[in-house]
Amino acid sequence: MKVSVIIPIYNTGEYLRGCLDSICSQTYQNLQIIMIDDGSDRHTADICDTIARSDERILLIHKKNEGVSIARNIGLAKATGDVVCFVDSDDTIEPDMIEALVVALEKNDAQIALCDAVTITPGRPNQPDTIPDFETSCTISVKDIKPATLSRVAGSACRCAYKRTDTLLASKAAFPEGLKFSEDRIFNLMAMSAAARIAYVKRPLYKRLIRDGSACFRYYPDMTEQIAKMRSVLIPAVKKYWGDKYVPIYEAQIAGHIKCAVTNYTAPANGLAMAESIEKLKNLCANTSVIECLNTLNRKDKRSSLILRERYNQLYILGKLTNYYHKICRKGQYQA
């Protein structure tokens, strides 16, 4: 069984060799390795060229910068493997990750295999990323999956292996273009809807690096608009592929993004003056999609209440206090 591994790349030259070394040295060797250089700088592009010459299994594509979703979709179009995996170019995988996922697919007659991950943030203890619903490795019946479990299973695409014909082609799964949040979640909602069984391997085989340039450290000046755009794609996808009973758990996830927007707009690192931050908070409170989401959930927490009552100044103070807490306790992490 051949496995296609898709790696979107954008200006990660410092980490690229470690990432590709962990893929090329896998115990499972029947691989097609697809590197998609998404308009990187010359330094990263040159490293891509050097790595691609070192292994005949590598297919390298240089393209203009259009975002991770388009890069991954190009990789999907080029994939010839029976199974497809994704790895981000600043991450690494354990030497037997692909073998473990392939064995799980075959042993459990599953269409998707899923493993645990570990999140690595320099200067902080490693954080396990596991599915708490299951104590050990198991087979998940898709038709019986509960909404809360689905929300945890259908997360990152990078910890999954997909049978290409049975799931990706059958569901016409693709990463939504133009979004900054929840691309993986929407892709997995599509792909997993076509599966009958998901094999869960309760081992942390994927190593996710959180660095200064990672998305969770980034300031998003248009976060309100991006949340609304994401919700306009995510909620219809949930209804189409899973049904209305799964909607509330995803509205709750969107509410989490809305709460993060408050800290995003009040973080010291964003360089905004107080008046500029408050204007951003006004736009957040006035956004129709934000209001619909919070009203749907009937949230009673402080931040949601302040948003619905349009208490901009209090939101600003709360955001500043949250960021200060993060600075003291979490060494500068500015996302709630």
Side-chain angles (χ1 to χ4, degrees):
M1 195 183 307
K2 184 164 75 171
V3 178
S4 296
V5 185
I6 298 170
I7 310 108
I9 300 160
Y10 182 67
N11 292 346
T12 50
E14 179 182 351
Y15 309 95
L16 200 49
R17 286 189 174 90
C19 174
L20 268 295
D21 283 348
S22 76
I23 296 169
C24 293
S25 61
Q26 285 288 297
T27 57
Y28 194 91
Q29 287 284 295
N30 188 11
L31 305 177
Q32 176 197 27
I33 302 168
I34 306 173
M35 298 171 61
I36 312 291
D37 171 24
D38 189 34
S40 296
D41 56 32
R42 188 69 260 166
H43 172 67
T44 297
D46 287 344
I47 293 174
C48 288
D49 290 336
T50 301
I51 293 173
R53 288 193 295 267
S54 70
D55 195 314
E56 63 182 11
R57 296 173 298 174
I58 294 177
L59 168 65
L60 171 61
I61 299 171
H62 291 289
K63 59 178 289 295
K64 68 179 181 179
N65 179 246
E66 296 175 292
V68 65
S69 288
I70 291 178
R72 283 174 166 176
N73 288 338
I74 289 173
L76 284 171
K78 296 292 184 181
T80 59
D82 306 290
V83 174
V84 173
C85 299
F86 300 93
V87 179
D88 285 343
S89 60
D90 50 359
D91 297 338
T92 57
I93 59 178
E94 290 290 346
D96 65 334
M97 174 174 161
I98 293 177
E99 180 179 9
L101 294 179
V102 169
V103 168
L105 285 170
E106 294 179 327
K107 180 181 177 181
N108 297 283
D109 189 26
Q111 293 74 46
I112 297 174
L114 164 77
C115 68
D116 284 347
V118 60
T119 299
I120 301 168
T121 306
R124 296 180 60 193
N126 292 347
Q127 296 294 317
D129 184 359
T130 189
I131 309 295
D133 309 60
F134 310 107
E135 294 184 359
T136 61
S137 299
C138 62
T139 304
I140 304 167
S141 172
V142 172
K143 69 180 178 62
D144 297 325
I145 198 166
K146 296 178 180 178
T149 303
L150 178 66
S151 72
R152 290 184 277 270
V153 170
S156 171
C158 290
R159 49 201 277 188
C160 298
Y162 308 85
K163 283 189 176 177
R164 189 164 65 95
T165 301
D166 293 348
T167 58
L168 303 185
L169 296 180
S171 66
K172 298 181 180 179
F175 290 91
E177 299 174 5
L179 298 185
K180 293 181 181 177
F181 310 118
S182 292
E183 307 100 307
D184 285 29
R185 186 171 292 129
I186 294 166
F187 177 84
N188 266 329
L189 286 171
M190 299 171 69
M192 291 182 178
S193 71
R197 287 169 296 281
I198 299 171
Y200 173 46
V201 180
K202 202 172 184 68
R203 289 178 55 203
L205 299 175
Y206 190 90
K207 295 188 283 188
R208 181 187 301 115
L209 176 66
I210 304 298
R211 54 189 175 85
D212 287 346
S214 298
C216 62
F217 285 95
R218 198 174 302 155
Y219 166 57
Y220 295 96
D222 61 341
M223 190 166 183
T224 298
E225 292 75 20
Q226 284 296 327
I227 290 171
K229 188 174 182 180
M230 174 260 287
R231 183 172 179 264
S232 73
V233 179
L234 176 58
I235 297 304
V238 174
K239 292 180 178 180
K240 177 179 179 179
Y241 293 101
W242 294 89
D244 289 347
K245 76 173 184 177
Y246 290 86
V247 169
I249 195 71
Y250 285 95
E251 290 281 26
Q253 289 188 346
I254 295 166
H257 284 281
I258 294 169
K259 292 169 71 175
C260 283
V262 176
T263 43
N264 175 68
Y265 291 142
T266 55
N270 66 32
L272 296 179
M274 179 178 175
E276 293 174 307
S277 291
I278 290 177
E279 189 62 32
K280 294 283 189 183
L281 294 172
K282 285 183 179 180
N283 291 335
L284 177 71
C285 295
N287 186 275
T288 302
S289 189
V290 168
I291 295 168
E292 285 179 354
C293 175
L294 297 180
N295 279 331
T296 296
L297 294 169
N298 194 26
R299 282 294 178 94
K300 304 296 185 183
D301 63 278
K302 185 69 172 178
R303 206 173 311 198
S304 297
S305 176
L306 291 176
I307 291 171
L308 290 173
R309 291 187 293 143
E310 301 184 22
R311 306 294 191 186
Y312 321 123
N313 292 331
Q314 292 178 54
L315 274 175
Y316 178 82
I317 294 169
L318 180 60
K320 283 293 184 183
L321 289 173
T322 302
N323 279 296
Y324 182 72
Y325 170 81
H326 286 165
K327 182 179 180 180
I328 297 296
C329 301
R330 302 187 184 183
K331 299 182 180 180
Q333 180 180 335
Y334 291 116
Q335 291 290 332

